[in-house]
């Protein structure tokens, strides 16, 4: 690779990509060529006659800040309408078990803010009913940070998640598998089987497509905009609106920094205005003095 190749890649191939994607690709390439230069520069020069040099320089290096994309979630009534319509669909759908699985997984994302990869990685044994007041989920495959690998956490089954989980396990799960005691049995199974006859784990795409189809049918104003990650934003906003403090929400979502949690919380449209009016009223009362 030469600087001209990097120019073509970032200027043509990734021209329409988000700034975060361009910055991430640039960092990966820079790290790779740094590795080659530090470890194999002499060896590669002896083999090829060329001196290793990073093709990304100050002229073609992508600029910009890698900030999280602003994802404004639907309102609580809108999400309620989605799951109400989706739930009524269970009585008439062609494939009850997969539809109920997708419904339950999406509702879990909206209730306790799991990532879709974390939800699909759950096993039946990861539900610890005896912990806490409502039970807890042992998330073993949480998103890693700064190259440290997956981070585990315990997520309380608050916000009605315990009731949804019990219904799914008692009334739906047995339609996928008949052995609740098998080690490693997935909480959200696939319709397909492994070679030994055990049930496979559902894929990310099946859960994403289930949510997309439900949004088209029951929340058409959102269509493709309603993704599993938007439900994670909705969960954070709903928990905050119901009185949970930022540190508690940070623990539920497992963010390293409270600033990240703050970007996930989208207050109601009139919350700031209402707080301002209340502050003005308090100030006016102080100015009135004692009666």
């Amino acid at each position: 690779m030469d600087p001209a190749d990097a120019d073509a890649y970032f200027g043509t191939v990734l021209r329409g990509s988000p700034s975060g994607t361009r910055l991430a690709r640039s960092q990966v390439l820079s790290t790779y060529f740094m590795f080659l230069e530090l470890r194999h520069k002499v060896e590669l020069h002896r083999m090829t006659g060329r001196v290793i040099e990073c093709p990304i320089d100050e002229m073609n290096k992508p600029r910009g800040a890698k900030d999280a994309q602003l994802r404004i979630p639907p309102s609580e009534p809108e999400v309620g309408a989605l799951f109400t319509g989706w739930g009524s669909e269970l009585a008439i759908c062609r494939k009850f078990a997969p539809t109920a699985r997708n419904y339950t997984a999406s509702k879990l994302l909206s209730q306790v803010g799991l990532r879709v990869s974390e939800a699909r990685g759950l096993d039946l044994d990861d539900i610890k009913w005896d912990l806490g007041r409502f039970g807890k989920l042992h998330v073993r495959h949480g998103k890693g940070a700064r190259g440290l690998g997956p981070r585990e956490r315990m997520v309380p089954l608050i916000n009605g998640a315990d009731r949804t989980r019990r219904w799914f396990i008692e009334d739906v799960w047995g339609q996928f598998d008949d052995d609740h005691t098998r080690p490693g049995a997935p909480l959200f199974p696939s319709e397909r089987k492994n070679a030994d006859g055990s049930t496979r784990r559902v894929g990310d795409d099946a859960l994403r497509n289930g949510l997309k189809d439900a949004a088209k049918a029951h929340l058409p104003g959102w269509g493709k905009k309603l993704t599993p990650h938007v439900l994670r934003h909705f969960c954070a906003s709903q928990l905050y609106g119901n009185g949970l403090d930022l540190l508690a929400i940070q623990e539920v979502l497992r963010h390293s920094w409270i600033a990240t949690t703050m970007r996930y919380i989208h207050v109601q449209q009139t919350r700031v205005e209402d707080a301002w009016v209340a502050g003005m009223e308090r100030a006016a009362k102080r100015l009135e003095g004692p009666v």
Side-chain angles (χ1 to χ4, degrees), residues 10-11 14-27 62-63:
F10 289 105
L14 296 183
R15 185 178 185 86
S17 300
S19 60
T21 299
R22 296 196 300 272
L23 289 169
R25 299 287 175 84
S26 172
Q27 183 60 50
R63 265 70 175 179

Side-chain angles (χ1 to χ4, degrees), residues 36-49:
L36 291 180
E37 185 175 352
L38 291 174
R39 295 288 184 88
H40 303 288
K41 184 175 183 177
V42 176
E43 178 185 355
L44 290 173
H45 180 265
R46 188 183 303 118
M47 293 172 58
T48 66

Side-chain angles (χ1 to χ4, degrees), residues 65-235:
K66 188 179 179 181
D67 292 330
Q69 181 181 356
L70 184 62
R71 295 179 174 91
I72 306 297
S75 64
E76 192 167 346
E78 287 176 319
V79 173
L82 167 68
F83 285 112
T84 298
W86 200 352
S88 63
E89 181 186 334
L90 297 178
I92 58 174
C93 62
R94 186 170 63 89
K95 290 186 175 182
F96 168 75
T99 305
R101 176 202 61 205
N102 298 339
Y103 166 87
T104 305
S106 294
K107 198 159 190 178
L108 181 65
L109 307 185
S110 72
Q111 289 168 328
V112 293
L114 294 188
R115 301 175 178 90
V116 66
S117 59
E118 295 172 343
R120 70 170 294 270
L122 290 171
D123 291 344
L124 279 176
D125 292 340
D126 291 329
I127 304 181
K128 311 298 182 183
W129 294 112
D130 57 333
L131 296 182
R133 298 179 61 180
F134 307 100
K136 294 189 177 183
L137 287 175
H138 181 200
V139 179
R140 295 174 292 107
H141 304 287
K143 181 180 178 182
R146 297 182 295 277
L148 298 179
R151 293 184 295 172
E152 300 184 47
R153 72 182 187 277
M154 301 298 291
V155 178
L157 289 169
I158 56 176
N159 209 15
D162 55 334
R163 297 190 299 272
T164 309
R165 238 44 50 220
R166 288 187 186 276
W167 167 77
F168 177 75
I169 294 172
E170 293 174 0
D171 296 345
V172 181
W173 195 90
Q175 300 192 34
F176 291 99
D177 200 332
D178 58 359
D179 186 4
H180 288 76
T181 62
R182 178 171 57 85
L187 174 60
F188 296 116
S190 170
E191 297 172 272
R192 299 180 179 180
K193 302 289 184 179
N194 294 311
D196 60 358
S198 60
T199 304
R200 290 187 184 181
R201 192 178 304 278
V202 70
D204 288 10
D205 289 342
L207 298 181
R208 292 180 185 276
N209 291 334
L211 175 61
K212 181 175 67 175
D213 293 342
K216 287 181 180 179
H218 307 292
L219 205 61
W222 281 83
K224 297 181 179 179
K225 296 187 296 181
L226 187 60
T227 64
H229 203 71
V230 171
L231 288 182
R232 183 169 161 86
H233 281 250
F234 167 77
C235 173

